[in-house]
Amino acid sequence: MEKKIIAVVGATGAQGGAVVAALLNDPSGEYAVRAITRNSDSDKSIALAKKGAEVIEADISDKSSLVKAFKGAYGAFCVTFFWEHFSPEKEMDNARNMAEAAKEAELSHVIWSTLEDTRRWVPLDDNSMPTLMGKYKVPHFDAKGVSNAYFERSGVPYTLLLTSFFWENFIYFGAEPQKGPDGELAITFPLAEAKMPGIAVADIGKCVLGILKEGNKYMGKTVGIAGEHLSGMEMAEIFTEVLGKKVKYNAVPPEVYRSFGFPGAEDLGNMYQFKTQFESVFRKARNVDESRKLNPELQTFKAWLRKNQAKIPVHKETA
């Protein structure tokens, strides 16, 4: 049986890397991986090649390089990384390039990792949430949501994949429990009592594999995935249980979070406000049961944390 080649954008990143791993580890051997990266000589690229991936250099800002990288493949996983450049316009340009390249390369299925355009619910003239960069509410959401149209209009069979909060943010993105002025550990989110969908990055890859295995079932559709929906308090309780240290939930107002001053604080403050104000909409779009059908190995937060507790920065510092 000839393997179906899946071109994976961002193959050395979080989501792309998870997709590569899921495809390479699939016992059926149905798929071959074409790992797309800007630098085929990097340590991560070399490691992927050793695991059996075909590593191809291409840049999502260069459509012609993408067309070459997509040619001959069955499908592609497409993703952008806003936090590298903080530019919604660049993100939209990159998404357009991927959609157009997929059409030119005549791919049979494209999965686009996306998020909501929050302005559908919070218009720019709604002052309950500040407008950022002149025309966005949550820039890293809105740019992806707008970009859905590029895939919808491309003529390529597509699936829009709505992802959730990565639990890896507790390892790599500064969301880990930190000591407050009172000396106690706390996780800090402006979520009030709302529950937030979350997922392990590895499970995103396995859900993508599940979508591909279903053939036509999810083409032309939007699929939202999550491993569990948890409140800040519930996450803090799980941290306390697993780490063996008391971890509190510090529920700050969105305006306080926006004032924290780190790059992207305003964007994230607005994001959490959106997730809180439109909790039912956001959660309904990310069905845990559907995710588990796609990926029977779907992890709960507690299971993920038990597996990764040694990587949590606070755990290493206080062990």
Side-chain angles (χ1 to χ4, degrees):
M1 181 184 73
E2 187 174 352
K3 293 188 176 187
K4 294 178 179 177
I5 298 171
I6 306 299
V8 181
V9 173
T12 59
Q15 290 189 65
V19 173
V20 168
L23 292 168
L24 290 178
N25 294 329
D26 176 29
S28 75
E30 185 177 353
Y31 301 99
V33 174
R34 182 175 293 168
I36 297 177
T37 176
R38 285 176 299 184
N39 180 10
S40 59
D41 294 324
S42 71
D43 290 344
K44 289 183 178 180
S45 296
I46 292 169
L48 290 179
K50 288 180 179 178
K51 291 177 182 177
E54 174 193 12
V55 178
I56 298 289
E57 281 193 5
D59 193 319
I60 57 176
S61 64
D62 177 4
K63 188 178 80 169
S64 63
S65 73
L66 285 170
V67 175
K68 292 177 183 176
F70 286 168
K71 277 285 186 183
Y74 165 81
F77 174 75
C78 293
V79 66
T80 54
F81 189 58
F82 176 87
W83 306 110
E84 183 178 59
H85 48 70
F86 293 85
S87 170
E89 288 74 24
K90 185 167 185 176
E91 191 158 45
M92 289 185 281
D93 286 342
N94 291 340
R96 184 191 297 110
N97 285 340
M98 288 186 284
E100 292 179 356
K103 174 64 175 176
E104 291 184 32
E106 300 180 330
L107 297 186
S108 298
H109 194 177
V110 174
I111 299 175
W112 159 236
S113 179
T114 188
L115 293 164
E116 289 86 346
D117 181 350
T118 63
R119 295 167 298 182
R120 288 179 54 197
W121 294 271
V122 191
L124 293 181
D125 60 2
D126 184 340
N127 294 324
S128 67
M129 182 186 296
T131 295
L132 305 178
M133 302 182 184
K135 50 186 174 182
Y136 305 101
K137 288 299 184 180
V138 183
H140 81 281
F141 268 54
D142 301 347
K144 291 182 180 68
V146 166
S147 297
N148 292 350
Y150 302 138
F151 294 90
E152 292 165 344
R153 297 169 187 164
S154 68
V156 171
Y158 67 88
T159 301
L160 305 180
L161 181 71
L162 291 172
T163 57
S164 296
F165 175 87
F166 301 170
W167 290 327
E168 278 74 8
N169 289 332
F170 290 119
I171 300 175
Y172 304 113
F173 209 62
E176 73 275 2
Q178 298 182 24
K179 283 188 177 180
D182 58 4
E184 295 193 60
L185 291 170
I187 54 171
T188 300
F189 294 106
L191 288 168
E193 297 177 358
K195 292 195 176 191
M196 177 173 66
I199 194 167
V201 170
D203 287 331
I204 296 176
K206 292 176 183 177
C207 285
V208 168
L209 174 63
I211 290 170
L212 289 168
K213 282 183 171 292
E214 289 290 348
N216 296 332
K217 180 177 179 181
Y218 292 101
M219 289 184 183
K221 295 182 179 178
T222 300
V223 182
I225 56 173
E228 202 168 5
H229 295 197
L230 295 168
S231 67
M233 183 65 73
E234 288 170 329
M235 286 188 285
E237 289 172 351
I238 292 169
F239 265 116
T240 298
E241 177 184 343
V242 174
L243 299 186
K245 310 173 193 298
K246 175 63 179 175
V247 176
K248 301 189 304 180
Y249 167 47
N250 184 20
V252 299
E255 57 270 22
V256 171
Y257 198 93
R258 285 191 286 265
S259 73
F260 282 167
F262 62 83
E266 291 183 308
D267 188 327
L268 293 177
N270 280 10
M271 176 194 74
Y272 289 121
Q273 184 175 339
F274 172 74
K275 290 181 179 182
T276 302
Q277 290 184 346
F278 299 92
E279 178 186 6
S280 60
V281 171
F282 194 78
R283 291 180 60 192
K284 185 178 180 181
R286 291 156 174 81
N287 188 292
V288 174
D289 291 335
E290 183 81 5
S291 304
R292 189 167 286 111
K293 288 177 185 176
L294 291 169
N295 168 24
E297 298 174 350
L298 192 72
Q299 300 169 80
T300 63
F301 178 55
K302 185 183 292 184
W304 174 86
L305 187 57
R306 287 193 188 283
K307 190 183 299 182
N308 291 277
Q309 59 181 303
K311 299 178 184 177
I312 305 295
V314 68
H315 187 73
K316 289 190 291 188
E317 290 169 9
T318 56

